[in-house]
Amino acid sequence: MTKGEETRQFIIEKAAPIFNIKGIAATSMSDIMEATRLSKGSMYVHFENKDVLACAAVDHNIKVLGDKLLSKLSKCKTAKEELFTYIDFFSNAVHPPLTGGCPLLNFGTEADDTNPIVKEKVNKGINFNQQLLEKSITKGINNGEFKPNWNAADFATVVFAMMEGGHLISRMSSNNDKMQIITKTLKNIIEENSL
Amino acid sequence: MTKGEETRQFIIEKAAPIFNIKGIAATSMSDIMEATRLSKGSMYVHFENKDVLACAAVDHNIKVLGDKLLSKLSKCKTAKEELFTYIDFFSNAVHPPLTGGCPLLNFGTEADDTNPIVKEKVNKGINFNQQLLEKSITKGINNGEFKPNWNAADFATVVFAMMEGGHLISRMSSNNDKMQIITKTLKNIIEENSL
DNA sequence: CTTTAAAATGACCGAACGGTCATATAATGC
DNA sequence: GCATTATATGACCGTTCGGTCATTTTAAAG
């Protein structure tokens, strides 16, 4: 990795949590300068403008979160274990895997009506999550862990939606109680569909 | 209502959808000037600064949405009707009741780590929704519509979380299919708990 | 109608914004 | 070690930001 690539990566890593916490619009290039201790000119050597940097930061946040999740999932043996691991991974909304909370929720709501590029990145991230869940369920059905008539795609959507909704509720109240109701409910449904 | 109060209200009504669509940070006073066709000085007669106007716009968005919902709910006879009406009211995320989507989601994620006042407004809005749902369920249990062992508070949380999560998914994909899975699932659970 | 207070105006302010560029420095290939 | 290219710097630019204020216009009260 050349010096330039190293610096570019360094900027992204410093910028990513700031964008996730403050949002794209509310984050200034000065914020990134302060965090990286780099000059303004240097930032523009590696990113042609703020939008490009913001996009790179969005990508990085989503990727880091996905990698952490995949790392946990790779240690699972059964499909049920995978689903429980997924739920547990996101179960603490007050102290979530990424500072600032879920980037799909944060960037998604901000980009919604204003930034189609970021919106599409978030959409892909959501689909990735749902497909992960669906694969685990299908795997569990195929190997006899789960009831064969369970609708994998539908439950994948339900899990993702409930976790994101619970995330919102618990972050707004700075209290994880409601998120625990969500995780408990989801785990009960999984148990009901286990053989 | 005096002229001043009228103008203040007029500004709020014009500003509210802009804040809901663009977010607080990305909305400028110039945006509001353009929408209201009022001078900058006039804005500051009625609002001491942008934060105060933004708070008023957040309040207004949440109130308008709540009023629309309560209006629909007031026409319901049974508890089950109330729950179905709640779900149907939010069932179209691509063309939601408020332009820009759910203000609790929009302002909540933006305010999360940066604006404790707005965050608390959103928190109150979430609690209001959950309590509405819980009351309907409790009412249905008490009048024999629903199974007596149904956990009203828990299901209220589940409904709200799933609707918000479904809202996010469907808005990011600009497609309501996933939201329909959510509503179908919720209605099924309600039917299962009906007597 | 007159008086007085409230509301509306737009020029103006300093600060912060995103972005540029000549210059200086450091890394890289020969 | 030298030449060349890539990277880093910070002063600088035009624009927009949130916000102020003297002045004018309008509404409200007597």
Side-chain angles (χ1 to χ4, degrees), chain A residues 17-195:
Chain A
I18 301 174
F19 277 109
N20 196 42
I21 291 166
K22 301 183 69 171
I24 294 172
T27 299
S28 69
M29 294 304 272
S30 308
D31 290 334
I32 315 297
M33 286 170 63
E34 195 184 333
T36 57
R37 296 275 173 194
L38 285 169
S39 68
K40 179 166 267 190
S42 184
M43 323 252 13
Y44 282 90
V45 168
H46 302 284
F47 303 93
E48 59 177 307
N49 58 45
K50 185 189 161 183
D51 269 340
V52 172
L53 172 54
C55 279
V58 169
D59 281 334
H60 187 258
N61 275 309
I62 294 176
K63 185 173 187 327
V64 165
L65 189 62
D67 286 350
K68 282 189 186 185
L69 173 62
L70 287 175
S71 161
K72 297 256 181 191
L73 289 177
S74 69
K75 289 165 190 154
C76 295
K77 289 156 196 160
T78 67
K80 191 205 248 183
E81 240 182 281
E82 285 173 7
L83 294 182
F84 274 52
T85 298
Y86 184 97
I87 292 165
D88 288 336
F89 182 71
F90 293 109
S91 65
N92 192 338
V94 179
H95 296 103
L98 289 193
T99 309
C102 178
L104 299 175
L105 195 59
N106 292 337
F107 296 124
T109 52
E110 181 174 4
D112 194 357
D113 302 294
T114 55
N115 190 329
I117 294 161
V118 169
K119 182 179 172 183
E120 183 51 27
K121 288 179 188 300
V122 171
N123 188 43
K124 287 215 172 82
I126 291 174
N127 286 335
F128 172 77
N129 272 267
Q130 286 186 258
Q131 275 154 29
L132 261 187
L133 288 162
E134 188 178 341
K135 276 180 205 162
S136 290
I137 301 162
T138 304
K139 171 181 157 186
I141 291 172
N142 290 338
N143 70 15
E145 283 183 68
F146 300 139
K147 294 181 182 169
N149 61 329
W150 203 13
N151 189 320
D154 281 11
F155 188 65
T157 297
V158 166
V159 171
F160 185 83
M162 270 181 67
M163 293 300 291
E164 289 290 359
H167 190 80
L168 175 72
I169 300 172
S170 281
R171 285 190 73 79
M172 288 305 102
S173 59
S174 302
N175 180 313
N176 220 53
D177 290 355
K178 294 288 163 64
M179 184 52 120
Q180 279 177 329
I181 293 171
I182 299 293
T183 59
K184 184 192 70 184
T185 303
L186 286 173
K187 288 182 178 179
N188 279 344
I189 298 175
I190 295 167
E191 294 291 359
E192 284 164 18
N193 283 276
S194 296
L195 295 170

Side-chain angles (χ1 to χ4, degrees), chain B residues 12-182:
Chain B
I12 291 173
E13 276 160 23
K14 290 289 183 187
I18 301 174
F19 277 110
N20 196 43
I21 291 166
K22 301 183 67 171
I24 294 172
T27 299
S28 69
M29 293 305 273
S30 308
D31 290 334
I32 315 297
M33 286 170 62
E34 196 184 333
T36 56
R37 297 273 174 194
L38 284 168
S39 68
K40 179 164 268 189
S42 185
M43 323 256 9
Y44 282 91
V45 168
H46 301 285
F47 302 94
E48 60 176 306
N49 57 47
K50 185 190 161 183
D51 270 340
V52 172
L53 172 54
C55 279
V58 169
D59 281 334
H60 186 259
N61 275 309
I62 294 176
K63 185 173 188 325
V64 165
L65 189 62
D67 286 349
K68 283 188 185 185
L69 173 62
L70 286 176
S71 161
K72 297 256 181 193
L73 288 178
S74 69
K75 288 164 192 156
C76 296
K77 288 157 198 160
T78 66
K80 192 205 249 186
E81 241 184 279
E82 285 173 8
L83 294 182
F84 274 52
T85 298
Y86 184 97
I87 291 165
D88 289 335
F89 181 72
F90 293 109
S91 65
N92 193 337
V94 179
H95 296 104
L98 289 193
T99 309
C102 178
L104 299 176
L105 195 58
N106 292 338
F107 296 124
T109 53
E110 180 174 4
D112 193 358
D113 302 294
T114 56
N115 191 328
I117 294 160
V118 169
K119 182 178 171 183
E120 183 51 28
K121 287 180 189 299
V122 171
N123 188 43
K124 287 214 172 82
I126 292 174
N127 287 335
F128 172 77
N129 272 266
Q130 287 187 258
Q131 275 155 27
L132 261 187
L133 288 161
E134 188 178 340
K135 275 181 208 162
S136 290
I137 302 162
T138 305
K139 170 181 157 187
I141 291 172
N142 290 338
N143 69 15
E145 284 183 66
F146 300 138
K147 294 183 183 168
N149 62 330
W150 203 13
N151 189 321
D154 281 11
F155 187 64
T157 297
V158 166
V159 171
F160 184 83
M162 270 181 68
M163 294 300 290
E164 289 290 0
H167 190 80
L168 175 72
I169 300 172
S170 281
R171 284 190 73 78
M172 288 305 101
S173 60
S174 302
N175 180 313
N176 220 53
D177 291 354
K178 295 288 164 64
M179 184 53 120
Q180 279 177 328
I181 293 171
I182 299 293

